[in-house]
Amino acid sequence: MRSTKTIHVISAHAEGEVGDVIVGGVAPPPGDTIWEQSRWIARDNTLRNFVLNEPRGGVFRHVNLLVPPKDPRADAAFIIMEPEDTPPMSGSNSICVATVLLDSGIVPVSEPVTEMLLEAPGGLVKVRAECRNGKAERIFVQNLPSFAAQLDTTLEVEGLGTLSVDTAYGGDSFVFVDAAALGFSLVPDEAHDLARLGVRITAAANEVLGFHHPENPDWRHISFCLFAGPVVRDGHQLRAGAAVAVRPGKIDRSPTGTALSARMAVLAARGQMTPEDTLTAVSLIGSTFTGRIVSETTVGGRPAIIPEISGRGWITGTHQHMLDPDDPWPGGYRLSDTWGAR
């Protein structure tokens, strides 16, 4: 086999959402911080196209690049590449990265609990892994500070009329809509309609409402639409359905850790969740992430929370992505049947 490049990947998923991890074959990108490195990858697009575009990737795939940490306290660092964004943080991807680091032996496992400090583009995140028989069975991630941005604001969406929405940040930026108010029960058969409609709502929210992170001026858009199910309370245990539309047009198979973090921030802002409570989000395939509020803080003078999310991850295989010098599509390709069909 001949190839002009070989990229070594360990594939994984977290509660259903694919989060591959590049463990070799790619030099660290230029930049003095992990955020600057992630901005270089986002601008350059060479690596993103190679691993995310078909035939090696697909709209369902996220890929994480392991890089040496910049912060001396961190055990490892990673850059997240999603179909359309290169974001500050991702819950499912951080769980995949932690699972790969531990289950592959890159980071030694200490049973029954292994603690790590990972450096994401948006900042440091604490990881606690419950481990048994050499396997990381459950990953707990203390996420970036999360906050509600706009609550109960109106948004006009062509073909839908006027919606009441929230916007929030949980390591990435969201617009929330009431799933039941739009006629959705959050069941698997609705995935196609949720994906297409969610992208439209996200586009409308960016055009009308916008978003800016008060401490990260580079993050100036809303990434996702969360179709939020009703919150059901049983004592201090809360539970709700969740379906997140990911651009260019798919539904997250996991309950989305950044959405869970953002929703806890919104519930806390409304006085509907306290540090004594937990919130379990349920995806369309029935997988779950559970979150809690670790503490309260501020972001740019705005009330915020430090959330912790938890879920499970599994390694699914190893791959060597190659490029034949005669391949006429060295950067891959996209077609609108899956990449953003409307």
Side-chain angles (χ1 to χ4, degrees):
M1 293 183 292
R2 58 181 188 168
S3 179
T4 58
K5 69 170 71 175
T6 302
I7 294 179
H8 304 274
V9 174
I10 298 178
S11 292
H13 77 88
E15 300 293 352
E17 185 73 345
V18 173
D20 290 354
V21 182
I22 298 172
V23 296
V26 178
D32 293 331
T33 65
I34 303 300
W35 179 253
E36 288 179 3
Q37 290 181 316
S38 75
R39 294 310 88 201
W40 189 91
I41 284 179
R43 291 190 303 269
D44 177 73
N45 260 333
T46 303
L47 179 63
R48 285 181 48 87
N49 289 341
F50 187 75
V51 296
L52 290 173
N53 288 354
E54 299 170 40
R56 297 166 194 86
V59 71
F60 63 92
R61 190 179 301 280
H62 298 185
V63 182
N64 302 277
L65 174 64
L66 289 184
V67 293
K70 298 293 187 179
D71 191 309
R73 296 171 294 173
D75 296 286
F78 64 105
I79 296 168
I80 309 145
M81 292 173 281
E82 296 179 345
E84 292 288 355
D85 278 319
T86 309
M89 178 55 183
S90 166
S92 64
N93 282 293
S94 62
I95 290 172
C96 286
V97 168
T99 299
V100 166
L101 288 171
L102 294 170
D103 287 7
S104 70
I106 296 174
V107 172
V109 171
S110 176
E111 298 185 11
V113 175
T114 303
E115 295 184 348
M116 294 185 290
L117 195 61
L118 299 183
E119 191 172 7
L124 293 173
V125 293
K126 294 181 181 179
V127 171
R128 185 175 83 258
E130 295 177 346
C131 302
R132 184 174 59 174
N133 298 325
K135 162 66 181 159
E137 294 188 325
R138 190 168 193 87
I139 308 293
F140 297 78
V141 178
Q142 186 168 303
N143 198 3
L144 303 179
S146 304
F147 57 88
Q150 301 179 66
L151 297 179
D152 299 315
T153 191
T154 58
L155 176 65
E156 188 78 21
V157 181
E158 185 177 356
L160 291 178
T162 302
L163 307 180
S164 177
V165 304
D166 304 323
T167 62
Y169 181 84
D172 209 331
S173 41
F174 290 84
V175 56
F176 292 180
V177 296
D178 185 331
L182 292 172
F184 291 110
S185 302
L186 299 184
V187 294
D189 287 348
E190 297 172 340
H192 182 275
D193 292 338
L194 287 164
R196 291 346 185 228
L197 184 58
V199 170
R200 288 173 52 201
I201 294 172
T202 300
N206 274 309
E207 182 177 348
V208 176
L209 302 177
F211 179 85
H212 78 278
H213 191 289
E215 295 180 355
N216 184 352
D218 290 336
W219 206 249
R220 300 184 296 271
H221 70 273
I222 293 170
S223 295
F224 306 122
C225 175
L226 168 66
F227 292 90
V231 176
V232 178
R233 177 182 284 274
D234 181 8
H236 288 296
Q237 297 179 346
L238 285 66
R239 192 176 182 90
V244 169
V246 180
R247 296 181 298 164
K250 72 153 212 171
I251 290 296
D252 194 331
R253 274 58 176 154
S254 81
T256 313
T258 49
L260 174 57
S261 300
R263 192 163 196 195
M264 288 192 289
V266 167
L267 291 173
R270 289 196 169 108
Q272 297 171 347
M273 185 175 181
T274 71
E276 287 73 38
D277 299 323
T278 62
L279 173 61
T280 296
V282 186
S283 76
L284 290 190
I285 66 170
S287 60
T288 61
F289 285 157
T290 296
R292 69 183 182 96
I293 298 171
V294 175
S295 61
E296 297 177 348
T297 186
T298 59
V299 175
R302 182 193 304 268
I305 64 166
I306 302 295
E308 180 189 77
I309 60 170
S310 70
R312 302 167 298 169
W314 296 269
I315 289 176
T316 60
T318 59
H319 304 276
Q320 289 182 319
H321 292 316
M322 298 181 177
L323 176 62
D324 189 292
D326 291 337
D327 190 332
W329 295 280
Y333 45 81
R334 299 185 178 195
L335 287 176
S336 63
D337 58 342
T338 56
W339 287 94
R342 296 294 187 262

